[in-house]
Amino acid sequence: EMEHHALQAVHNEVIAPPRAGHLPSYKDKSVETGFQPACVGMRTLHVASDQLQSRYPYPEPTHFDFTEPTVGFGRKNVMKTADVLRILLEKGADDIPQDSEVKRANVTMLLEPLLDTMVVGDTTINANIEILIPLLKDLLSDADPVVRKRSADVLARMSSLHQGRQSICEAGCVDALATFLEDQESADVRIAAGRALLALTQSVDGRESIVGDQPPADRNVITRIVTALLRAAERSGPVATPELVEPLLEVLANLLQTDECIQLALDSNLVPFLVHTLRRRNHPTPAMKCLVSVCGSPAGKRAAIEGGMLAALCGLLASKDAGERRLAARSVLLIAADEEGKRKSIVLVPNLVQQLYEEDHDMYMNALLAVRSVRCRPALACSPLEGRPPGVGGWEMF
C-alpha cells in the first residue's frame, strides 16, 4: 500500500495531479462528491488549495485566552502585552486563577522582543513610554520575586535609550530600584536591581537625572547604594550577595563625579570598605575605578590617605594585570596631588618607575605623571646629597 505522500521523499505540491492516485478523484462516486452529479465541486481537477486543505487540515479551533503570552516583535505587540499586564494588576488573584504564573509568562514575553534595540526605539515613543514605565514601576512592587526581577530586567533594557532613561527617572523608578538592592526575599531581585542601576548610570544624561542639580535628581540615593553595598559584601547576613558588589562599585564609580556626591559616600564609610577590598584583592578593577572617582575631590584624597589606601595600592602597582597597574598608577597620581599624599607616596616610586618601561601609553603616562607629582614636593626638590629621603634608593635619577 502506498504511504501518504507527506511521508514520502517526493512531494506533489503542484497543480498537476499526484503521481499515485492515493486520494479519491472527483470523477468517482466518493465522499467528496456525495454521489451528486459529476459537475458538483469540480471547479478544477486537483486544485492546489483543495489538495492542501484535504491533506493538511487545519487543527480544531481553540478558545483564545487573552492572558496567554505571545512573542511580540514591534511596538504594537509589546504594548498589547503591557495591556494584559495592566489588566492582571487591576484584577485580583481571585478573578484569574494562577495569576502569578500568568504575570511571569507575560513579563518574560515583554522582555524578549526588547532585546532588539530597534524594538526598544519603537517602544520609547511618547505614546508608549508614558504607559509602559508606570506599569513597570507597579510591577516592581509585586509580591512575586520573579515578576520583580524580570521587571527590573525590562527597565535595564529600556535604559539603553535616552527617552527610556529620562522616563525611568521621572517616574521614580530609581528609588524603587535602590530599595530592592536590599530585597529580603530574593538575591536575583537584588542583582537585577543593581544591573538596572548600572545601565542607567553608564551615560552622562542618566547620571545627571539621578544625582544632578535638576529635579527629579536625588543625591540621597548614593547613601542608599553605599549602604546596600556594605551589606551585600558581608560574609553572612540577610542580604549578603557577593555577585552584587561589582555592579554597585561600577554604579558608584559613575555617580561620584561631584564634591557633594563624594562627601555623601565618605559619610557612609565607603573608603574603609575600598581599602579592605583592595588589600584582599577582591574586585580590584571596579574598586579602583570607584577609588579614582572618590579621589576626584580634596576630601576624598585625604580620606584615602588617612585610611591607608597607599599601602593597598603598593602591591597593585606590581600586579600581573595591566589594567590593574594602570588604575593603581592613576590612583597614586590623584592622591599625590595632596601634600600629605606626596610625602606618603615616596615608597611607591620604585613600582612606578617599573611602569615607565611599559609599552602601554596610558600606563606610561599615569606612572610618569605620578612620579612628577611626587617629585614636585619641595622637600624632594633638593639635590641628592642634601635631602634624599632615607630608605629610598635610586632617587638620583630624578
Side-chain angles (χ1 to χ4, degrees):
E1 297 182 359
M2 293 294 295
E3 296 286 347
H4 191 275
H5 85 285
L7 302 178
Q8 298 176 353
V10 178
H11 289 254
N12 301 287
E13 306 300 337
V14 294
I15 297 180
R19 298 180 182 180
H22 58 279
L23 291 177
S25 172
Y26 282 110
K27 291 185 177 181
D28 301 331
K29 304 300 181 180
S30 62
V31 293
E32 277 75 10
T33 60
F35 292 94
Q36 298 295 320
C39 62
V40 176
M42 291 185 59
R43 292 172 298 179
T44 304
L45 289 176
H46 303 290
V47 179
S49 61
D50 295 340
Q51 293 181 21
L52 294 176
Q53 183 178 4
S54 59
R55 296 174 183 178
Y56 305 103
Y58 287 102
E60 292 296 329
T62 58
H63 176 69
F64 174 72
D65 184 5
F66 79 97
T67 62
E68 181 180 356
T70 56
V71 179
F73 295 94
R75 66 179 71 171
K76 296 291 185 181
N77 289 292
V78 170
M79 297 313 299
K80 286 180 181 179
T81 307
D83 292 339
V84 172
L85 289 169
R86 173 57 64 185
I87 294 174
L88 293 174
L89 286 177
E90 293 176 353
K91 291 188 176 182
D94 298 335
D95 298 329
I96 300 179
Q98 300 177 348
D99 183 59
S100 182
E101 287 76 7
V102 175
K103 281 192 289 188
R104 289 182 185 180
N106 278 278
V107 174
T108 302
M109 286 300 172
L110 185 64
L111 175 63
E112 184 172 346
L114 291 176
L115 297 176
D116 185 356
T117 306
M118 296 183 63
V119 178
V120 176
D122 291 340
T123 309
T124 53
I125 61 177
N126 293 333
N128 294 335
I129 201 72
E130 295 176 356
I131 300 173
L132 186 59
I133 296 300
L135 171 65
L136 293 173
K137 182 181 178 181
D138 294 340
L139 290 173
L140 282 175
S141 58
D142 193 84
D144 188 358
V146 178
V147 174
R148 297 199 299 270
K149 186 259 183 188
R150 292 174 182 171
S151 300
D153 292 337
V154 174
L155 287 175
R157 287 299 306 152
M158 301 295 293
S159 302
S160 59
L161 292 182
H162 169 70
Q163 296 89 340
R165 293 189 293 269
Q166 184 178 6
S167 300
I168 289 172
C169 294
E170 291 177 353
C173 294
V174 175
D175 292 336
L177 291 172
T179 301
F180 287 114
L181 291 175
E182 300 184 48
D183 187 85
Q184 301 285 336
E185 193 171 354
S186 173
D188 292 336
V189 175
R190 298 193 289 269
I191 296 173
R195 290 174 178 172
L197 287 173
L198 178 59
L200 274 171
T201 58
Q202 284 179 335
S203 60
V204 176
D205 60 278
R207 294 194 292 267
E208 290 296 325
S209 299
I210 296 176
V211 295
D213 297 326
Q214 302 296 328
D218 184 11
R219 294 191 177 94
N220 292 326
V221 71
I222 293 179
T223 303
R224 301 169 66 182
I225 293 175
V226 174
T227 303
L229 172 63
L230 299 181
R231 297 191 63 187
E234 295 176 353
R235 289 191 175 183
S236 61
V239 293
T241 313
E243 296 84 358
L244 184 59
V245 174
E246 186 169 339
L248 291 186
L249 286 172
E250 296 276 2
V251 170
L252 290 173
N254 295 332
L255 292 179
L256 300 181
Q257 303 294 329
T258 62
D259 292 348
E260 294 81 1
C261 296
I262 294 174
Q263 187 60 48
L264 288 173
L266 296 178
D267 295 339
S268 302
N269 297 323
L270 176 62
V271 171
F273 170 76
L274 293 178
V275 173
H276 176 76
T277 301
L278 292 177
R279 282 179 175 175
R280 297 180 61 88
R281 303 291 183 92
N282 294 332
H283 315 288
T285 299
M288 280 191 288
K289 289 181 181 179
C290 186
L291 174 62
V292 169
S293 298
V294 169
C295 292
S297 72
K301 294 182 179 66
R302 289 191 293 270
I305 295 170
E306 295 171 0
M309 183 64 71
L310 290 173
L313 293 174
C314 184
L316 290 169
L317 286 171
S319 173
K320 294 182 179 180
D321 186 83
E324 294 178 7
R325 297 199 303 273
R326 187 185 306 114
L327 287 171
R330 181 69 177 176
S331 302
V332 175
L333 168 62
L334 294 173
I335 293 175
D338 186 86
E339 288 299 324
E340 183 68 15
K342 294 180 189 297
R343 185 180 66 83
K344 293 189 175 182
S345 298
I346 297 175
V347 295
L348 305 180
V349 170
N351 287 343
L352 291 172
V353 171
Q354 293 295 326
Q355 294 192 15
L356 297 178
Y357 298 94
E358 296 284 351
E359 296 180 358
D360 187 286
H361 179 266
D362 292 339
M363 188 182 305
Y364 166 80
M365 289 303 300
N366 286 334
L368 177 62
L369 293 175
V371 172
R372 294 175 69 177
S373 180
V374 175
R375 180 66 176 83
C376 290
R377 183 168 177 261
L380 299 178
C382 53
S383 62
L385 297 179
E386 294 177 356
R388 184 176 66 186
V392 180
W395 191 255
E396 294 84 356
M397 61 184 298
F398 301 102

